[in-house]
Amino acid sequence: MLPDSTRLLVILILLSVCSAARSFPPDDAKTYVVIAAIADYKNMTPGNGDLNLTVNDARRVYDFFKKRVPANQMRFLINQQATRAQILKQLEYLYSFARPQDRVIFYFSGHGAPGIFVPYDFDNSEATSLLHEDVKATFKRCPARTKLCIADACHSGSITKARGLGNRSVLKGSKSGIMLLMSSRDNETSIELPELKQGLFSYYLIQGLDGKADPNRDHIIDARELFNYLSKNVVAHARRKQHSQHPVAYGRFDNSMPIVNTR
């Protein structure tokens, strides 16, 4: 039997290892964030296609991250700034600085259709469509091991059917990966809630990231915790509105992949 002092040392080491397993990436890890949102579309009108609350959503997501991420590691594109070309340019540029230990995040709020996010300059052509495959390709080229794409857009779940990014399975034992977090299934629309002045999904996204998706109160919100919180609350709230909306999580990631530190 080990002496008491040795046993205590072993216990302390084991506790340290367990704590590290739930810790955020190293202190020198950086986060790069691109946020894009469109309410006032170039080829749409207030009565025919324009949205109301998407830019509100994006501003609140931006406000959340700017408390945690330096300004030079973020890009915020709204309305006429959020063309297909500009979104892809900023994704490529900003993510080119990422190292393997870093994380990259892309948030989009606007119209969606099967296989695409709809940028500001969309004119019903593929040349002006932000294809899901375009976004996946930028992620694939980025060396960061932790990548998160969040979209509050109708039919955003159809990204699960695009080519080029693994499958729905998770990578057990890995604390990094690629997670696509979509506001609705491929056959569903994502609703806006005037009483909340936000989209339903983005409202609960921000609530969750701000701490409500942390049931064990360890100040680290991981992939499983965030998705479980979103799924429970978005589905229930949509049902009360007599609407069907189910968030979708897809990609190759471990359930315990850290998303945000709430400290």
Side-chain angles (χ1 to χ4, degrees):
M1 180 176 292
L2 294 172
D4 289 345
S5 59
T6 304
R7 290 171 62 194
L8 178 60
L9 178 61
V10 171
I11 291 171
L12 289 173
I13 292 172
L14 289 174
L15 288 173
S16 175
V17 170
C18 291
S19 176
R22 280 286 297 170
S23 66
F24 231 46
D27 289 341
D28 68 338
K30 296 180 179 180
T31 299
Y32 296 91
V33 184
V34 176
I35 295 170
I38 309 97
D40 183 13
Y41 278 89
K42 179 180 179 180
N43 298 307
M44 301 180 193
T45 65
N48 184 26
D50 278 345
L51 297 168
N52 297 309
L53 303 175
T54 49
V55 170
N56 285 3
D57 289 336
R59 288 192 190 281
R60 294 182 185 187
V61 171
Y62 176 77
D63 287 343
F64 174 85
F65 280 110
K66 76 177 183 181
K67 300 173 185 175
R68 297 162 173 82
V69 179
N72 64 349
Q73 292 167 211
M74 296 183 67
R75 294 293 184 272
F76 183 55
L77 309 172
I78 59 172
N79 292 327
Q80 65 268 26
Q81 301 167 329
T83 63
R84 176 185 183 274
Q86 192 60 223
I87 292 171
L88 290 175
K89 177 181 178 180
Q90 295 304 326
L91 287 171
E92 292 283 1
Y93 174 75
L94 204 60
Y95 294 176
S96 70
F97 294 99
R99 304 160 299 168
Q101 68 266 37
D102 296 334
R103 83 174 44 75
V104 297
I105 299 171
F106 174 51
Y107 170 89
F108 177 86
S109 183
H111 277 303
I116 68 171
F117 301 131
V118 180
Y120 168 76
D121 53 338
F122 179 68
D123 64 4
N124 290 312
S125 69
E126 183 170 314
T128 58
S129 301
L130 183 61
L131 302 177
H132 291 165
E133 291 179 11
D134 293 334
V135 177
K136 287 185 175 184
T138 64
F139 270 29
K140 191 172 183 179
R141 289 190 290 271
C142 177
R145 295 194 191 101
T146 302
K147 306 167 187 176
L148 179 62
C149 175
I150 306 171
D152 193 347
C154 297
H155 310 289
S156 54
S158 63
I159 197 169
T160 64
K161 299 179 179 179
R163 299 187 300 273
L165 188 68
N167 54 48
R168 189 180 294 272
S169 65
V170 297
L171 301 179
K172 298 298 182 185
S174 170
K175 296 300 180 288
S176 60
I178 304 175
M179 183 182 189
L180 310 176
L181 188 54
M182 306 290 109
S183 62
S184 59
R185 293 174 178 169
D186 62 330
N187 61 345
E188 293 178 333
T189 56
S190 300
I191 59 174
E192 295 183 321
L193 298 176
E195 65 271 25
L196 297 177
K197 297 182 179 179
Q198 281 193 260
L200 174 61
F201 173 83
S202 289
Y203 173 79
Y204 284 109
L205 171 70
I206 296 167
Q207 294 285 312
L209 292 176
D210 211 23
K212 290 191 176 180
D214 186 22
N216 59 5
R217 300 186 183 278
D218 66 351
H219 302 287
I220 296 174
I221 296 172
D222 63 31
R224 187 202 302 270
E225 289 173 331
L226 182 59
F227 179 72
N228 285 348
Y229 176 82
L230 285 168
S231 184
K232 174 184 176 181
N233 287 283
V234 170
V235 171
H237 199 137
R239 192 170 290 145
R240 292 196 296 272
K241 294 288 184 179
Q242 299 183 329
H243 184 80
S244 179
Q245 183 174 338
H246 297 78
V248 174
Y250 179 80
R252 295 182 65 83
F253 57 92
D254 189 89
N255 282 331
S256 60
M257 181 178 79
I259 302 299
V260 70
N261 189 328
T262 61
R263 289 186 189 274

